[in-house]
Tab-separated table of all heavy atoms in Angstrom:
chain	number	residue	atom	x	y	z
A	20	ASN	N	0.836	-1.209	0.000
A	20	ASN	CA	0.000	0.000	0.000
A	20	ASN	C	0.873	1.261	0.000
A	20	ASN	O	0.460	2.302	0.496
A	20	ASN	CB	-0.965	0.019	1.196
A	20	ASN	CG	-2.136	0.959	0.975
A	20	ASN	OD1	-2.617	1.127	-0.128
A	20	ASN	ND2	-2.594	1.584	2.060
A	21	TYR	N	2.080	1.112	-0.571
A	21	TYR	CA	3.034	2.223	-0.705
A	21	TYR	C	3.358	2.860	0.660
A	21	TYR	O	3.731	4.035	0.731
A	21	TYR	CB	2.497	3.265	-1.695
A	21	TYR	CG	2.054	2.628	-3.001
A	21	TYR	CD1	0.695	2.424	-3.260
A	21	TYR	CD2	2.982	2.170	-3.930
A	21	TYR	CE1	0.271	1.793	-4.434
A	21	TYR	CE2	2.576	1.541	-5.106
A	21	TYR	CZ	1.223	1.345	-5.347
A	21	TYR	OH	0.808	0.712	-6.492
A	22	GLY	N	3.178	2.057	1.725
A	22	GLY	CA	3.505	2.536	3.070
A	22	GLY	C	2.476	3.449	3.679
A	22	GLY	O	2.699	4.006	4.767
A	23	ARG	N	1.319	3.593	3.015
A	23	ARG	CA	0.337	4.575	3.480
A	23	ARG	C	-0.647	4.014	4.500
A	23	ARG	O	-1.368	4.781	5.134
A	23	ARG	CB	-0.428	5.153	2.293
A	23	ARG	CG	0.409	6.059	1.405
A	23	ARG	CD	-0.467	6.889	0.501
A	23	ARG	NE	-1.218	6.071	-0.440
A	23	ARG	CZ	-0.836	5.831	-1.696
A	23	ARG	NH1	0.303	6.338	-2.137
A	23	ARG	NH2	-1.579	5.087	-2.487
A	24	HIS	N	-0.760	2.681	4.619
A	24	HIS	CA	-1.768	2.196	5.563
A	24	HIS	C	-1.296	2.349	7.002
A	24	HIS	O	-0.104	2.433	7.288
A	24	HIS	CB	-2.206	0.753	5.253
A	24	HIS	CG	-1.144	-0.280	5.261
A	24	HIS	ND1	-0.436	-0.653	4.148
A	24	HIS	CD2	-0.672	-1.052	6.273
A	24	HIS	CE1	0.414	-1.602	4.455
A	24	HIS	NE2	0.297	-1.863	5.747
A	25	ARG	N	-2.269	2.409	7.882
A	25	ARG	CA	-2.003	2.632	9.300
A	25	ARG	C	-2.391	1.387	10.090
A	25	ARG	O	-3.379	0.726	9.770
A	25	ARG	CB	-2.780	3.843	9.820
A	25	ARG	CG	-2.427	5.149	9.134
A	25	ARG	CD	-3.147	6.321	9.800
A	25	ARG	NE	-4.594	6.088	9.857
A	25	ARG	CZ	-5.425	6.698	10.709
A	25	ARG	NH1	-4.945	7.558	11.593
A	25	ARG	NH2	-6.716	6.449	10.680
A	26	ARG	N	-1.610	1.106	11.125
A	26	ARG	CA	-1.894	-0.032	11.989
A	26	ARG	C	-1.854	0.411	13.451
A	26	ARG	O	-1.039	1.246	13.838
A	26	ARG	CB	-0.863	-1.160	11.777
A	26	ARG	CG	-1.005	-1.894	10.449
A	26	ARG	CD	-2.253	-2.751	10.427
A	26	ARG	NE	-2.414	-3.464	9.162
A	26	ARG	CZ	-3.092	-3.006	8.122
A	26	ARG	NH1	-3.645	-1.804	8.180
A	26	ARG	NH2	-3.229	-3.738	7.031
A	27	ASP	N	-2.732	-0.187	14.235
A	27	ASP	CA	-2.752	0.065	15.671
A	27	ASP	C	-1.788	-0.921	16.330
A	27	ASP	O	-2.197	-1.889	16.960
A	27	ASP	CB	-4.183	-0.115	16.199
A	27	ASP	CG	-4.461	0.772	17.390
A	27	ASP	OD1	-3.499	1.278	17.987
A	27	ASP	OD2	-5.649	0.958	17.729
A	28	PHE	N	-0.486	-0.684	16.110
A	28	PHE	CA	0.555	-1.583	16.618
A	28	PHE	C	0.475	-1.686	18.138
A	28	PHE	O	0.526	-0.675	18.844
A	28	PHE	CB	1.939	-1.081	16.201
A	28	PHE	CG	2.163	-1.067	14.714
A	28	PHE	CD1	2.122	0.125	14.004
A	28	PHE	CD2	2.425	-2.246	14.028
A	28	PHE	CE1	2.331	0.143	12.627
A	28	PHE	CE2	2.647	-2.241	12.660
A	28	PHE	CZ	2.592	-1.045	11.960
A	29	THR	N	0.375	-2.925	18.648
A	29	THR	CA	0.170	-3.141	20.082
A	29	THR	C	1.267	-4.049	20.624
A	29	THR	O	1.465	-5.158	20.132
A	29	THR	CB	-1.213	-3.753	20.338
A	29	THR	OG1	-2.212	-3.013	19.624
A	29	THR	CG2	-1.543	-3.732	21.821
A	30	TYR	N	1.971	-3.563	21.644
A	30	TYR	CA	3.135	-4.261	22.180
A	30	TYR	C	2.714	-5.503	22.957
A	30	TYR	O	1.720	-5.500	23.686
A	30	TYR	CB	3.924	-3.305	23.071
A	30	TYR	CG	5.268	-3.827	23.501
A	30	TYR	CD1	6.255	-4.126	22.567
A	30	TYR	CD2	5.558	-4.020	24.842
A	30	TYR	CE1	7.501	-4.591	22.961
A	30	TYR	CE2	6.804	-4.480	25.252
A	30	TYR	CZ	7.768	-4.768	24.295
A	30	TYR	OH	9.001	-5.240	24.689
A	31	VAL	N	3.492	-6.569	22.814
A	31	VAL	CA	3.109	-7.868	23.363
A	31	VAL	C	2.885	-7.841	24.872
A	31	VAL	O	1.965	-8.489	25.385
A	31	VAL	CB	4.139	-8.956	22.967
A	31	VAL	CG1	5.519	-8.651	23.548
A	31	VAL	CG2	3.654	-10.334	23.360
A	32	ASP	N	3.696	-7.100	25.618
A	32	ASP	CA	3.514	-7.053	27.074
A	32	ASP	C	2.189	-6.395	27.450
A	32	ASP	O	1.568	-6.756	28.463
A	32	ASP	CB	4.666	-6.294	27.749
A	32	ASP	CG	5.974	-7.087	27.731
A	32	ASP	OD1	5.962	-8.240	27.261
A	32	ASP	OD2	7.007	-6.546	28.172
A	33	ASP	N	1.757	-5.425	26.646
A	33	ASP	CA	0.447	-4.801	26.872
A	33	ASP	C	-0.675	-5.805	26.618
A	33	ASP	O	-1.678	-5.830	27.338
A	33	ASP	CB	0.268	-3.596	25.947
A	33	ASP	CG	1.165	-2.418	26.326
A	33	ASP	OD1	1.758	-2.454	27.424
A	33	ASP	OD2	1.261	-1.467	25.527
A	34	ILE	N	-0.501	-6.621	25.589
A	34	ILE	CA	-1.484	-7.660	25.285
A	34	ILE	C	-1.581	-8.649	26.445
A	34	ILE	O	-2.684	-9.001	26.904
A	34	ILE	CB	-1.115	-8.398	23.981
A	34	ILE	CG1	-1.306	-7.486	22.772
A	34	ILE	CG2	-1.914	-9.692	23.838
A	34	ILE	CD1	-2.743	-7.213	22.391
A	35	VAL	N	-0.443	-9.103	26.938
A	35	VAL	CA	-0.420	-10.078	28.037
A	35	VAL	C	-1.085	-9.502	29.283
A	35	VAL	O	-1.876	-10.179	29.946
A	35	VAL	CB	1.024	-10.527	28.327
A	35	VAL	CG1	1.102	-11.301	29.639
A	35	VAL	CG2	1.546	-11.385	27.181
A	36	GLU	N	-0.777	-8.256	29.603
A	36	GLU	CA	-1.419	-7.620	30.758
A	36	GLU	C	-2.937	-7.596	30.589
A	36	GLU	O	-3.690	-7.896	31.526
A	36	GLU	CB	-0.894	-6.192	30.931
A	36	GLU	CG	-1.580	-5.379	32.022
A	36	GLU	CD	-1.352	-5.912	33.425
A	36	GLU	OE1	-0.353	-6.621	33.660
A	36	GLU	OE2	-2.197	-5.627	34.311
A	37	GLY	N	-3.389	-7.275	29.380
A	37	GLY	CA	-4.821	-7.254	29.118
A	37	GLY	C	-5.459	-8.625	29.238
A	37	GLY	O	-6.548	-8.778	29.810
A	38	VAL	N	-4.790	-9.647	28.717
A	38	VAL	CA	-5.328	-11.010	28.794
A	38	VAL	C	-5.459	-11.447	30.250
A	38	VAL	O	-6.485	-12.028	30.648
A	38	VAL	CB	-4.434	-12.004	28.019
A	38	VAL	CG1	-4.906	-13.434	28.260
A	38	VAL	CG2	-4.449	-11.693	26.521
A	39	VAL	N	-4.454	-11.172	31.063
A	39	VAL	CA	-4.494	-11.565	32.477
A	39	VAL	C	-5.652	-10.873	33.189
A	39	VAL	O	-6.396	-11.499	33.962
A	39	VAL	CB	-3.153	-11.245	33.170
A	39	VAL	CG1	-3.267	-11.415	34.680
A	39	VAL	CG2	-2.049	-12.146	32.620
A	40	ARG	N	-5.829	-9.592	32.921
A	40	ARG	CA	-6.935	-8.866	33.562
A	40	ARG	C	-8.285	-9.429	33.144
A	40	ARG	O	-9.196	-9.575	33.967
A	40	ARG	CB	-6.852	-7.374	33.222
A	40	ARG	CG	-5.673	-6.667	33.866
A	40	ARG	CD	-5.802	-5.168	33.714
A	40	ARG	NE	-4.634	-4.478	34.251
A	40	ARG	CZ	-4.681	-3.270	34.818
A	40	ARG	NH1	-5.846	-2.638	34.929
A	40	ARG	NH2	-3.587	-2.695	35.275
A	41	VAL	N	-8.417	-9.733	31.866
A	41	VAL	CA	-9.675	-10.299	31.372
A	41	VAL	C	-9.914	-11.681	31.970
A	41	VAL	O	-11.033	-12.017	32.367
A	41	VAL	CB	-9.666	-10.359	29.833
A	41	VAL	CG1	-10.825	-11.209	29.308
A	41	VAL	CG2	-9.742	-8.960	29.241
A	42	LEU	N	-8.873	-12.494	32.033
A	42	LEU	CA	-8.987	-13.841	32.590
A	42	LEU	C	-9.527	-13.799	34.020
A	42	LEU	O	-10.339	-14.640	34.423
A	42	LEU	CB	-7.618	-14.527	32.565
A	42	LEU	CG	-7.550	-15.964	33.074
A	42	LEU	CD1	-8.334	-16.904	32.176
A	42	LEU	CD2	-6.094	-16.411	33.173
A	43	ASP	N	-9.088	-12.812	34.793
A	43	ASP	CA	-9.506	-12.681	36.190
A	43	ASP	C	-10.891	-12.049	36.332
A	43	ASP	O	-11.470	-12.068	37.421
A	43	ASP	CB	-8.487	-11.829	36.964
A	43	ASP	CG	-7.136	-12.524	37.115
A	43	ASP	OD1	-7.068	-13.749	36.922
A	43	ASP	OD2	-6.150	-11.829	37.426
A	44	HIS	N	-11.394	-11.472	35.246
A	44	HIS	CA	-12.680	-10.765	35.260
A	44	HIS	C	-13.699	-11.613	34.481
A	44	HIS	O	-13.881	-11.431	33.287
A	44	HIS	CB	-12.504	-9.388	34.610
A	44	HIS	CG	-13.696	-8.493	34.692
A	44	HIS	ND1	-13.981	-7.724	35.790
A	44	HIS	CD2	-14.689	-8.256	33.797
A	44	HIS	CE1	-15.090	-7.040	35.578
A	44	HIS	NE2	-15.537	-7.347	34.367
A	45	VAL	N	-14.319	-12.553	35.166
A	45	VAL	CA	-15.185	-13.535	34.498
A	45	VAL	C	-16.390	-12.848	33.851
A	45	VAL	O	-17.064	-12.022	34.481
A	45	VAL	CB	-15.651	-14.613	35.495
A	45	VAL	CG1	-16.564	-15.622	34.807
A	45	VAL	CG2	-14.445	-15.320	36.112
A	46	ALA	N	-16.643	-13.185	32.594
A	46	ALA	CA	-17.759	-12.593	31.851
A	46	ALA	C	-19.088	-12.867	32.544
A	46	ALA	O	-19.334	-13.967	33.042
A	46	ALA	CB	-17.786	-13.147	30.434
A	47	GLU	N	-19.943	-11.861	32.551
A	47	GLU	CA	-21.271	-11.980	33.145
A	47	GLU	C	-22.323	-11.515	32.154
A	47	GLU	O	-22.023	-10.758	31.229
A	47	GLU	CB	-21.351	-11.140	34.423
A	47	GLU	CG	-20.427	-11.595	35.534
A	47	GLU	CD	-20.549	-10.723	36.770
A	47	GLU	OE1	-21.203	-9.649	36.671
A	47	GLU	OE2	-20.000	-11.096	37.814
A	48	PRO	N	-23.581	-11.925	32.337
A	48	PRO	CA	-24.650	-11.435	31.470
A	48	PRO	C	-24.815	-9.921	31.603
A	48	PRO	O	-24.584	-9.350	32.667
A	48	PRO	CB	-25.889	-12.165	32.003
A	48	PRO	CG	-25.367	-13.356	32.728
A	48	PRO	CD	-24.053	-12.933	33.305
A	49	ASP	N	-25.197	-9.293	30.506
A	49	ASP	CA	-25.490	-7.861	30.494
A	49	ASP	C	-26.974	-7.682	30.800
A	49	ASP	O	-27.831	-8.009	29.967
A	49	ASP	CB	-25.128	-7.279	29.127
A	49	ASP	CG	-25.399	-5.789	29.023
A	49	ASP	OD1	-25.923	-5.208	29.996
A	49	ASP	OD2	-25.116	-5.205	27.965
């Protein structure tokens, strides 16, 4: 794309932190 496209680059440690928080926060009905 001639370098013009944009990406929401997300660092792996941020992803891991998010996964751990979600894992501990059990989904509930809305």
Side-chain angles (χ1 to χ4, degrees):
N20 200 34
Y21 310 102
R23 290 196 296 264
H24 59 268
R25 299 185 306 159
R26 288 289 180 268
D27 210 344
F28 297 104
T29 311
Y30 190 62
V31 63
D32 288 356
D33 290 348
I34 290 287
V35 168
E36 175 65 23
V38 173
V39 170
R40 291 191 184 212
V41 168
L42 182 66
D43 292 343
H44 187 83
V45 179
E47 296 180 349
D49 180 357

